[in-house]
């Protein structure tokens, strides 16, 4: 099993979400792990077909069908998860909550 770690150097707007989405597709990722941060994140991802989403709690490869694990240092906001899941459903992810595991 391979692991690729994407770490930001600054406080955002670095393209981490797009990088994670691209790496996940290229390497056919089995899982995206978010290890810190919270629902204030704004990982904006635009797929080749024009579909887009700004990820805050879910991993940036959810639109590709890659599940997310939220680690013990993540700040969890249940209402933000619910709202994000509702938007992911609109984008065709039938049960986003089933793709989310929380430590």
């Amino acid at each position: 099993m391979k692991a690729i770690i994407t770490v930001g150097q600054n406080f955002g707007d670095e393209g981490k979400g797009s990088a994670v989405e691209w790496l996940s597709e290229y390497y056919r990722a089995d899982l995206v792990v978010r290890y810190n941060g919270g629902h204030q994140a704004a990982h904006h991802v635009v797929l080749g077909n024009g579909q887009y989403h700004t990820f805050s709690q879910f991993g940036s490869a959810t639109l590709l069908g890659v599940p997310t694990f939220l680690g013990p240092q993540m700040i969890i906001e249940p209402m933000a998860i619910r709202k994000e899941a509702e938007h992911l459903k609109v984008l065709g992810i039938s049960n986003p909550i089933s793709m989310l595991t929380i430590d």
Side-chain angles (χ1 to χ4, degrees), residues 17-37:
S18 294
V20 168
E21 185 273 330
W22 186 88
L23 289 165
S24 295
E25 184 172 29
Y26 186 81
Y27 289 105
R28 298 181 184 154
D30 296 315
L31 182 67
V32 168
V33 176
R34 293 211 45 220
Y35 59 91
N36 68 3

Side-chain angles (χ1 to χ4, degrees), residues 1 13 15 20 24 27 29 37 43 47 50 56 60 69 71-72 89 92-93:
M1 182 180 289
D13 297 333
V20 168
S24 295
Y27 289 105
H43 300 147
L47 299 179
S56 65
S60 298
F69 175 80
K89 284 180 184 178
I93 304 298

Side-chain angles (χ1 to χ4, degrees), residues 70-84:
L70 300 179
Q73 298 302 314
M74 285 292 300
I75 299 170
I76 305 301
E77 170 51 57
M79 294 308 291
I81 290 173
R82 180 177 172 207
K83 182 178 178 182
E84 186 170 0

Side-chain angles (χ1 to χ4, degrees), residues 1 9 33 51 86 96 98:
M1 182 180 289
Q9 181 175 323
V33 176
Q51 222 178 14
E86 289 171 4
S98 71

